[in-house]
Amino acid sequence: MTRIRRMNAVDVERILVRYGFELVSQKGSHRKWRNLDRAIKRTIKSRLG
């Protein structure tokens, strides 16, 4: 069985941008991303430090 690689928020956000997501809003440490082409929304907890 393969292990899932653990990623931090910066890595996840780079992948989202590559797949056409754009940052919609941020409240505290949560960033909301949206892809208009596929009508997908994702919230990423991006606490750095």
Side-chain angles (χ1 to χ4, degrees):
M1 192 178 217
T2 60
R3 298 180 81 180
I4 297 175
R5 191 180 105 181
R6 190 170 187 180
M7 295 187 288
N8 59 20
V10 175
D11 294 337
V12 173
E13 289 176 354
R14 282 188 195 137
I15 293 170
L16 290 176
V17 170
R18 192 181 314 151
Y19 282 94
F21 283 77
E22 60 183 21
L23 183 62
V24 176
S25 67
Q26 178 176 349
K27 185 173 182 181
S29 63
H30 289 81
R31 294 182 176 180
K32 295 180 182 177
W33 294 82
R34 177 177 59 194
N35 185 325
L36 293 176
D37 297 336
R38 298 181 184 176
I40 301 173
K41 297 177 186 175
R42 292 292 175 252
T43 302
I44 306 297
K45 182 178 176 186
S46 61
R47 181 175 172 207
L48 302 174

